[in-house]
């Protein structure tokens, strides 16, 4: 029994360490964004995790000086798969935490307390120009670490139809809480990836 407990504890510590760099980068970026965007007169709500996750996928396609600059600005301590593996571990941890709140809410309800669990939905997808030659390594990495498959759309022929398709997908993923993410004329024939 002692060996099993030690093995579980070691796995938990290793799992926590896996997402530390992604969590730290997300927190740092969130604080910086808040400082830039907050005003004394208005409320501000933003999701540093959503922003950082989208930028991490973009970082997956960056090379050379662009990749180095993104790593610096986004607070990524490492290059390559380590950053992306950390984001995958963070997503798994967030999803597991949300699942665990169901049990907590059930126990709380029995004792007369709050009975709402955390609702968390993470959905990633890359909408790509049909026929555009994205590197297979980039496509594989975003699918592996971010569960973000490529969906081909033709921005060149009909950017408005592509915009509506993406907005409908986003609305479906967010239970209609986010509608019209991409505004009219937000895409055009030069768009290659959303």
């Amino acid at each position: 029994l002692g060996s099993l407990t030690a093995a579980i504890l070691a796995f938990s510590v290793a799992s926590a360490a896996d997402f530390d760099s992604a969590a730290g980068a997300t927190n740092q970026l969130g604080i910086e964004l808040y400082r830039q965007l907050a005003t004394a007169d208005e409320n501000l709500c933003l999701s540093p995790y959503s922003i950082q996750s989208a930028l991490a996928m973009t970082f997956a396609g960056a090379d050379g000086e662009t990749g180095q600059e993104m790593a610096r600005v986004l607070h990524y301590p490492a290059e390559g798969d380590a950053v992306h593996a950390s984001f995958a571990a963070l997503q798994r941890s967030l999803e597991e935490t949300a699942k665990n709140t169901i049990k907590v809410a059930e126990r709380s309800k029995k004792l007369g307390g709050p009975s709402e669990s955390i609702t968390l939905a993470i959905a990633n997808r890359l909408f790509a120009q049909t026929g555009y030659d994205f590197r297979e390594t980039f496509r594989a990495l975003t699918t592996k670490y971010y569960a973000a498959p490529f969906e081909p759309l033709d921005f060149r022929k009909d950017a408005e139809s592509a915009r509506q398709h993406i907005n409908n997908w986003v609305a479906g993923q967010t239970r209609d809480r986010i509608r019209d993410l991409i505004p009219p004329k937000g895409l055009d024939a030069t768009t290659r990836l959303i």
Side-chain angles (χ1 to χ4, degrees), residues 38-59:
T39 66
D41 300 339
E42 297 178 9
N43 292 330
L44 174 67
C45 180
L46 57 93
S47 173
Y49 173 77
S50 296
I51 295 165
Q52 187 68 281
S53 183
L55 290 171
M57 284 188 277
T58 305
F59 174 69

Side-chain angles (χ1 to χ4, degrees), residues 96-155:
E96 187 63 31
T97 299
K99 284 180 192 174
N100 289 338
T101 67
I102 294 170
K103 297 172 193 166
V104 171
E106 289 171 358
R107 285 192 298 256
S108 178
K109 185 178 181 179
K110 288 178 185 175
L111 300 172
S115 61
E116 292 290 321
S117 61
I118 293 173
T119 301
L120 176 68
I122 299 172
N124 295 318
R125 178 153 305 177
L126 296 172
F127 298 94
Q129 171 61 45
T130 301
Y132 191 83
D133 188 23
F134 290 96
R135 292 181 192 156
E136 186 53 40
T137 53
F138 173 65
R139 294 172 63 121
L141 190 146
T142 57
T143 300
K144 177 181 178 180
Y145 293 114
Y146 300 94
F150 270 61
E151 181 176 337
L153 294 175
D154 199 339
F155 303 108

Side-chain angles (χ1 to χ4, degrees), residues 127-130 152-168 180-194:
F127 298 94
Q129 171 61 45
T130 301
L153 294 175
D154 199 339
F155 303 108
R156 288 183 191 142
K157 286 186 181 175
D158 193 354
E160 178 57 22
S161 180
R163 181 187 77 84
Q164 290 174 7
H165 177 80
I166 294 168
N167 283 342
N168 288 338
D180 299 322
L181 176 67
I182 301 172
K185 300 188 190 228
L187 306 177
D188 62 28
T190 64
T191 302
R192 295 296 172 262
L193 184 67
I194 296 291

